[in-house]
Amino acid sequence: MTTPRPNSWTTFGGDLHLDLTGRRAAGAGLRAALEDALREAVQDGRLAPGTRLPSSRALGEDLGIARNTVVEAYGQLTAEGWLSSRQGSGTTVAERAAPRPTAARTASTAATAGRRPTGRHDLLAGRPDLSLFPRSAWLASARKALAVAPHDAFDYGSPLGRIELRRALSDYLARVRGVRTDPERLMICAGFGQGLGLLAAVLRARGAGRVAVEGYGLPPQRDVLRAAGLGLVPLPLDCSGARTDLLAGLTADTAGDAAGEGDAAADRVGAVLLTPAHQFPTGAALAADRRAAAVRWARAHDGYVIEDDYDGEFRYDRQPLGAMQALDPDRVVYGGTAAKSLAPGLRLAWLALPDDLVEPVARHKELADTMSPVLDQLTFAELITSGRYDRHVRRCRLHYRRRRDLLVAALAERVPGVEVTGIAAGLHAVLQLPPGARPETELVDRARAAGLVLTGLGWYAAEPDPERATAPALVVGYATPSDHAFPAALDALCALLRAA
Amino acid sequence: MTTPRPNSWTTFGGDLHLDLTGRRAAGAGLRAALEDALREAVQDGRLAPGTRLPSSRALGEDLGIARNTVVEAYGQLTAEGWLSSRQGSGTTVAERAAPRPTAARTASTAATAGRRPTGRHDLLAGRPDLSLFPRSAWLASARKALAVAPHDAFDYGSPLGRIELRRALSDYLARVRGVRTDPERLMICAGFGQGLGLLAAVLRARGAGRVAVEGYGLPPQRDVLRAAGLGLVPLPLDCSGARTDLLAGLTADTAGDAAGEGDAAADRVGAVLLTPAHQFPTGAALAADRRAAAVRWARAHDGYVIEDDYDGEFRYDRQPLGAMQALDPDRVVYGGTAAKSLAPGLRLAWLALPDDLVEPVARHKELADTMSPVLDQLTFAELITSGRYDRHVRRCRLHYRRRRDLLVAALAERVPGVEVTGIAAGLHAVLQLPPGARPETELVDRARAAGLVLTGLGWYAAEPDPERATAPALVVGYATPSDHAFPAALDALCALLRAA
C-alpha cells in the first residue's frame, strides 16, 4: 500500500503512474478524473490490453479514495469498452481497446493481420468448423499428459518428435488408413507444408531439379517447392485423378517449367506430389491403375511419391480408400495432418518416411527448428490412446456429412443448373456452373461484394488452363461456418449462383 | 461381448486375436496360457506400449474365463514389467515394454534417440532443471486460455504469431529487459535457432555472404548459418566480450572463412551474432564500448546486430544488464527464448525485429511452417499476464543462484586450483584448470567414463584456438541435475578435477 498522494499516484505495484493533476477538481470530479486517467493510460498503451487491474478495494486504498468511486469508474469504462469485466477474474483492459500509437507503419500490416480475405460468410476451402475443436477433451488429455510425462520430455529430444505420439500415430494410421510404418519411420512436423519443405530440401540436395505436381492444387505448396529451388511439372487431371501415366514419359530432356538449359541433372524429376484419397480441390479419388503407375515410375526412376492425405478421415459415400503408401513404403512418403480433424492452429502433421529418407529429413528438421514442440505432441498422443480422438473424428464426420447434404439439397432445389462434384469425401465441393455463366474472377468479385469469401477453381491451377474460360467453377468449403452461420452462408451462395 | 471360443479368442473390440491353441492345457494352465499370449502380443508389437487393456471383467467375459484368472495374469505381467497399472486408469501396456521387432535398421537410430550423450551426471551446459517446469501453473494457464480463446484462434493466422502473446511479451520485455518493441514487430518462432535460420535466409537473399560470430559459441547456431549459405567470421573474445571493435576493419576483401574468390558481394558481412548479456559459453558481459562499436558498425555498413539473449533473466550478482537492442531497435534484432526459463521442449522463442525486417522474416516463417502452434502461445500469454511467469522466474533465479553457490563453494574447498569464471549470470560456469592439467579432450573422455557428461571449452570454438592446448577449461551446466541428483554430480566433478 503506497501512501496516498493527492492528484498524482503510483499504483499497480509501482508499475503505473496515474497523474490526475490539472484534470478536474477533487470532490464530485474525482470519479471522472480517475476515468480520464485510466482511459488515457489505456489509449496510449501504458495499460496494455489484457492487463489485470487491481481490485476496486486495493486501488481505492492505493489512491486514498472511496472504493465505490473506483467501482463506478470501472463500470463506466467497461460500458465504454475500454475495460472488460468477467465473473471471477476481475477487471482487465479490454482486448480490443484502442491500439497503442506506435510509429506509423504499413509494411508489416499484412504480415500481422494474417493474409486470408475475410467476410461475413466464410466458404474458403481447406479449414474445418473451428467451433468443433474439442476443447475439454484436449484439456483433459493435456492434464493427463502433464501428469505422467517424465521430466526429460521437456528437454531437447529426437528431431522425429516424441516417441509417445509416434507410437500412437503408428498404430492409429495402420488401423484407420492402412499405413505401413512404425515409430522409427514417423516424423512429427509443424504442418504438412513444413514436411514438404524438408522433403524438397532433401530431394534438391540429392540432385533432383523438378517435382511433378497435380495440375490443380494448393498454391502455397507450390511456393514451398519453388522456394527449395525445384521446378514444377504439372500433371493434367481427369475423373480418375492425376495423369500419373504420363510420369514415365518425363525424361530429363522433355519440357517442363524448369529452366531449359539442357542440364539433364537439373531437370531430373525427383518426386510426384499427389492427393490420392481426394484430389485437392477437384475431389477425384486416384484410380488404382494411376496409383500403380506412380509407384512404378518411382521405382524405375529412383523417385518418390509424396502422398498428401489431408482429409483421409472424412469419406462419406464409398468404402474408405486406404493410403497409397501401403503399395510401397520404400517409395511413398505418407503425409497426414491434424489441421482438418482438429485445427490448423495446432500445426501438427506427420510424415511416414521410407527408410532411406529418415536420416536426411530428420537432419533438415533439426536444422529448421530442432524438433516440434512437445506438449501438444504428448497431449495428442493421449487424445489418441484414450479413444477420445476416434470419438471426435466420428462426430466430425457426421457433422460434415450433414453439412454436405444440406449444401447439395439447397443447390439442387434452388440452382439446379449447378453441378456439384468432389463430394464423396472431405470438407469442400466444386460447383460447376452452367454454360454462359460469368467468368470465375467476376463471380468471385461479386461474392466478395456480398460478404461471401470463396475462390474460383482457377485460383488453384498450376498453369493457365483454357478450360477455365469456358467452364467456370467455384470451390466451396462447407465446413468452416459454424452451425448457426451456415444457413445464411447457403442463402448468400444460392443468391450468387442464381445471378451467375 | 463375443461368444467364447476355447483356445482362440478375438478380443479388444475385435482388434486383437489371442490364440492359446497348443500353448498349455486348460484348467490350472489357463492363467499361464493367457499370460503367455499377452506377453507375446506385447513383445511382437500387436499390443503397443500405452494400449489400454480391457477391464478384467470385460476380458474374462470375452474369453469365457473367470475374472480372477485375468486379474492374476495382469498382476503377474505387471510384476514382470510388461504391463503397467495405475489407480483409476486401469491396466495399460507398459511404455518401456520390449520394442516391436521391426525391420533391422541402424541408420535412423541416432535420429530417433536424440543426439545428446547421456550419463548418470548430466552437466552439459544449456539446459534448465527440467523438474522445475511449472506443470500446474502451465495447466491452469492452458485451461484459462482454452476457455477464453475465440474460435478463430485455432485457425491459420499471422506468421508473426498470436497477438495475445505478442502483446504480453512486448510488455514483459520492455519491463524486464528494456527491449523497445511492440506487438507488430515481434515474431514468435520455434526456438531461437529457427529465428536465426529465418534471419540468415533473409540476409542471404539481400546479398550478404558472411556473418560475424563470437569466437566461442554454440556449434548448432553456426550450422544453421552455414546451411543458409553464409560464411562465418569469428571475432576474438576477451574479458569485455567479443571484439566488436574489429568489425569496422572487415571490409569485403579481408580474410574470413568464406570462399575467397574476391567476389566482394559474396564476402559482405551482413550481421554479427552476439550474446551480450552473458557470452556463451565464456560468461563475459559485453562492455558498453563494445556494444556501441557493434551498433556503429551496423549503421555504417547496412548490417544488423543479432542479440541472442538466451538467459537474460538469470543474473545474480550485478545490476541487470538491459538488452542491447534498446541502443538501436532499427539495427539490433533481439532474440529471446523460453528454453531456459521454462523448457527447451516448448520450442518457444521470439524475435523483436527492426521495421524493415518484419515483412521478409515473416514471409520466410510462412514458407517454413506458416506460423508457430497457437495453444502454447495462448497458454504462455496467459502465464505472463496472470503474473505466474514472473513468480516462476523469480523462483528459478533463487534456485539456480543457490546451485551456483554450492558449485563455487565445493570447488573452492575441494579443488582450489580450479578457477571458476562466467558465473555472474546464467546456468553454467567455465572451470579454468591449473597449468599442467591434462588436455581437455582427455578430461572429457575420463568424465564420460565416470558417468559425467560435460564438454571442454574447445567444443564451442569457431576455429582452432592454440590457447586450448595450454589452458584447458571445462564448461559445466549446473542447472540440469535435479536437486537430489546434484550432490552426487558435484562429487563426481570434484573427483574428476582432483585427478586432472
Side-chain angles (χ1 to χ4, degrees):
Chain A
M1 241 52 78
T2 56
T3 312
R5 280 167 294 149
N7 293 332
S8 173
W9 293 290
T10 297
T11 183
F12 290 79
D15 281 354
L16 182 74
H17 182 75
L18 283 182
D19 189 356
L20 280 68
T21 311
R23 281 174 198 273
R24 311 206 187 195
L30 205 48
R31 170 188 144 186
L34 178 60
E35 284 171 21
D36 287 353
L38 286 170
R39 200 183 287 109
E40 258 182 41
V42 173
Q43 275 178 307
D44 70 17
R46 278 173 296 146
L47 281 177
T51 304
R52 181 185 305 266
L53 274 75
S55 70
S56 52
R57 191 169 54 82
L59 187 60
E61 285 181 4
D62 265 14
L63 301 183
I65 60 181
R67 176 184 178 179
N68 214 39
T69 305
V70 181
V71 170
E72 286 172 2
Y74 279 11
Q76 176 61 31
L77 293 171
T78 302
E80 290 174 15
W82 298 104
L83 303 181
S84 103
S85 168
R86 261 194 306 269
Q87 193 78 35
S89 65
T91 302
T92 55
V93 178
E95 285 301 334
R96 308 191 42 117
R100 55 180 58 191
T102 53
R105 65 207 317 248
T106 52
S108 71
T109 308
T112 309
R115 291 158 203 258
R116 280 182 180 272
T118 53
R120 267 175 300 137
H121 310 297
D122 189 347
L123 296 177
L124 214 51
R127 286 165 311 147
D129 178 350
L130 297 163
S131 73
L132 296 184
F133 184 79
R135 299 190 188 206
S136 48
W138 185 268
L139 185 66
S141 297
R143 181 184 300 114
K144 175 74 182 293
L146 274 165
V148 304
H151 289 316
D152 70 6
F154 299 97
D155 202 355
Y156 295 104
S158 165
L160 296 181
R162 285 301 301 178
I163 186 66
E164 294 90 339
L165 179 56
R166 289 186 281 128
R167 282 190 188 129
L169 270 177
S170 151
D171 295 338
Y172 176 82
L173 294 173
R175 179 160 58 82
V176 172
R177 303 293 299 129
V179 174
R180 290 162 54 195
T181 189
D182 61 64
E184 307 303 304
R185 290 168 179 84
L186 271 174
M187 188 181 81
I188 311 302
C189 49
F192 175 74
Q194 183 188 47
L196 183 63
L198 300 174
L199 284 167
V202 170
L203 293 172
R204 190 77 191 88
R206 290 187 172 192
R210 299 186 295 169
V211 165
V213 297
E214 296 172 318
Y216 286 74
L218 273 179
Q221 293 189 347
R222 297 193 294 263
D223 290 346
V224 164
L225 295 170
R226 284 198 201 94
L230 293 164
L232 304 180
V233 190
L235 298 176
L237 298 172
D238 62 20
C239 61
S240 300
R243 291 284 309 275
T244 55
D245 53 310
L246 301 177
L247 283 167
L250 295 171
T251 56
D253 47 19
T254 58
D257 81 345
E261 306 95 328
D263 179 344
D267 274 358
R268 195 171 80 76
V269 177
V272 54
L273 172 61
L274 298 171
T275 48
H278 188 227
Q279 204 283 325
F280 191 86
T282 66
L286 192 64
D289 59 327
R290 296 281 172 82
R291 293 176 179 230
V295 170
R296 260 198 319 274
W297 167 81
R299 288 178 183 153
H301 294 82
D302 191 22
Y304 296 94
V305 176
I306 304 172
E307 175 176 24
D308 177 10
D309 195 40
Y310 65 101
D311 66 0
E313 280 142 328
F314 299 117
R315 177 149 283 275
Y316 311 119
D317 293 346
R318 303 184 226 170
Q319 286 297 315
L321 283 172
M324 183 171 165
Q325 185 262 6
L327 291 180
D328 191 343
D330 288 330
R331 285 291 156 198
V332 184
V333 180
Y334 173 88
T337 176
K340 310 294 178 293
S341 58
L342 287 166
L346 289 179
R347 313 308 304 132
L348 260 175
W350 43 89
L351 298 180
L353 291 161
D355 233 30
D356 64 333
L357 289 182
V358 173
E359 188 65 26
V361 172
R363 171 69 187 140
H364 276 82
K365 171 72 175 167
E366 200 171 22
L367 271 173
D369 59 11
T370 311
M371 62 184 193
S372 280
V374 298
L375 294 184
D376 286 345
Q377 292 186 64
L378 295 172
T379 301
F380 187 34
E382 171 61 26
L383 197 74
I384 295 172
T385 54
S386 66
R388 291 189 187 102
Y389 185 61
D390 278 312
R391 288 194 293 277
H392 169 72
V393 168
R394 275 197 300 274
R395 195 163 71 95
C396 291
R397 195 184 294 123
L398 287 174
H399 180 84
Y400 294 135
R401 183 181 176 135
R402 210 177 307 126
R403 277 288 174 84
R404 182 201 61 165
D405 294 346
L406 285 172
L407 171 73
V408 171
L411 293 175
E413 184 190 325
R414 301 194 232 167
V415 275
V418 171
E419 188 192 355
V420 190
T421 62
I423 53 173
L427 313 180
H428 71 277
V430 177
L431 311 188
Q432 309 279 355
L433 298 179
R438 301 171 198 272
E440 275 174 21
T441 49
E442 191 184 328
L443 284 169
V444 170
D445 286 346
R446 291 168 69 96
R448 291 281 150 93
L452 193 60
V453 183
L454 43 67
T455 55
L457 184 55
W459 190 74
Y460 299 93
E463 56 190 356
D465 180 349
E467 205 182 316
R468 296 269 56 73
T470 57
L474 298 177
V475 180
V476 166
Y478 50 78
T480 311
S482 63
D483 270 347
H484 74 270
F486 192 60
L490 262 188
D491 290 346
L493 177 65
C494 290
L496 174 80
L497 294 172
R498 272 196 305 272
Chain B
M1 243 48 79
T2 56
T3 312
R5 279 165 296 150
N7 293 333
S8 174
W9 294 289
T10 297
T11 181
F12 291 78
D15 281 353
L16 182 73
H17 182 75
L18 283 182
D19 188 356
L20 278 67
T21 313
R23 280 172 199 273
R24 312 205 187 192
L30 203 50
R31 169 188 145 184
L34 178 59
E35 285 171 19
D36 287 352
L38 285 170
R39 201 183 285 108
E40 259 182 40
V42 173
Q43 275 178 306
D44 70 16
R46 278 173 297 147
L47 281 177
T51 304
R52 180 185 305 266
L53 276 76
S55 70
S56 51
R57 192 169 54 81
L59 188 60
E61 285 181 2
D62 265 13
L63 302 182
I65 61 181
R67 175 184 178 179
N68 214 40
T69 306
V70 181
V71 170
E72 285 169 6
Y74 278 11
Q76 177 60 31
L77 293 171
T78 301
E80 290 173 18
W82 299 104
L83 302 181
S84 103
S85 167
R86 261 194 305 270
Q87 193 77 37
S89 64
T91 302
T92 54
V93 177
E95 285 300 334
R96 308 191 42 119
R100 53 179 62 192
T102 53
R105 66 209 316 254
T106 51
S108 71
T109 309
T112 310
R115 293 158 202 256
R116 280 181 180 271
T118 54
R120 268 176 300 138
H121 310 296
D122 189 347
L123 296 178
L124 215 50
R127 285 164 311 145
D129 178 351
L130 297 163
S131 73
L132 295 184
F133 183 79
R135 298 190 189 206
S136 50
W138 186 268
L139 185 65
S141 297
R143 179 184 302 114
K144 174 74 182 293
L146 273 165
V148 304
H151 289 315
D152 70 6
F154 299 96
D155 202 354
Y156 296 105
S158 166
L160 296 181
R162 286 299 302 179
I163 187 66
E164 294 90 339
L165 179 55
R166 289 187 281 127
R167 281 190 189 129
L169 270 177
S170 150
D171 294 339
Y172 176 82
L173 295 173
R175 178 160 58 83
V176 172
R177 304 293 299 130
V179 174
R180 289 162 55 195
T181 188
D182 61 65
E184 307 302 306
R185 291 169 179 83
L186 270 174
M187 188 183 80
I188 311 302
C189 50
F192 175 72
Q194 182 187 49
L196 183 62
L198 301 174
L199 285 168
V202 170
L203 293 172
R204 190 78 191 91
R206 289 188 173 191
R210 299 187 294 169
V211 165
V213 297
E214 296 172 317
Y216 286 74
L218 274 179
Q221 292 189 347
R222 296 193 295 262
D223 289 347
V224 164
L225 294 171
R226 285 197 200 94
L230 293 164
L232 304 180
V233 189
L235 297 176
L237 298 171
D238 62 21
C239 60
S240 298
R243 292 283 309 275
T244 53
D245 52 311
L246 301 177
L247 282 167
L250 295 171
T251 57
D253 48 17
T254 58
D257 80 346
E261 305 96 329
D263 179 344
D267 275 359
R268 195 171 80 75
V269 177
V272 55
L273 172 62
L274 299 170
T275 49
H278 187 228
Q279 203 283 325
F280 191 87
T282 65
L286 191 65
D289 59 327
R290 297 280 171 82
R291 295 176 178 229
V295 170
R296 259 199 318 273
W297 166 82
R299 286 177 184 154
H301 294 82
D302 191 22
Y304 296 94
V305 176
I306 304 172
E307 175 176 25
D308 176 11
D309 195 41
Y310 65 102
D311 67 0
E313 280 142 329
F314 299 117
R315 178 149 283 275
Y316 311 119
D317 294 347
R318 302 184 226 172
Q319 285 298 313
L321 283 172
M324 185 172 164
Q325 184 261 9
L327 290 180
D328 190 344
D330 287 331
R331 285 292 154 197
V332 184
V333 179
Y334 173 88
T337 176
K340 310 294 177 294
S341 59
L342 287 166
L346 288 179
R347 313 307 305 131
L348 260 175
W350 43 89
L351 299 179
L353 292 160
D355 233 32
D356 63 335
L357 289 181
V358 173
E359 189 67 24
V361 172
R363 171 70 189 140
H364 276 82
K365 172 72 176 165
E366 200 170 22
L367 270 173
D369 59 10
T370 311
M371 62 184 193
S372 282
V374 297
L375 294 184
D376 286 346
Q377 291 187 63
L378 295 173
T379 301
F380 187 35
E382 172 61 26
L383 197 74
I384 294 172
T385 54
S386 66
R388 292 189 186 101
Y389 184 63
D390 278 313
R391 288 194 292 276
H392 169 72
V393 168
R394 274 198 299 272
R395 195 163 70 97
C396 291
R397 195 184 295 124
L398 287 174
H399 180 83
Y400 294 135
R401 183 183 176 134
R402 212 177 304 126
R403 278 287 173 84
R404 183 202 62 166
D405 294 345
L406 285 173
L407 172 74
V408 171
L411 293 175
E413 184 190 325
R414 301 194 234 167
V415 275
V418 172
E419 188 193 356
V420 190
T421 62
I423 53 172
L427 313 179
H428 71 277
V430 178
L431 311 188
Q432 310 278 354
L433 298 178
R438 300 171 198 271
E440 275 174 22
T441 50
E442 191 184 328
L443 284 170
V444 170
D445 287 346
R446 293 169 68 95
R448 292 279 150 93
L452 193 60
V453 183
L454 45 66
T455 54
L457 184 56
W459 189 75
Y460 299 93
E463 59 191 355
D465 180 349
E467 204 182 318
R468 297 268 57 72
T470 56
L474 298 176
V475 180
V476 167
Y478 51 77
T480 311
S482 62
D483 270 346
H484 74 270
F486 191 59
L490 260 189
D491 290 345
L493 177 66
C494 289
L496 174 80
L497 294 172
R498 272 196 305 270

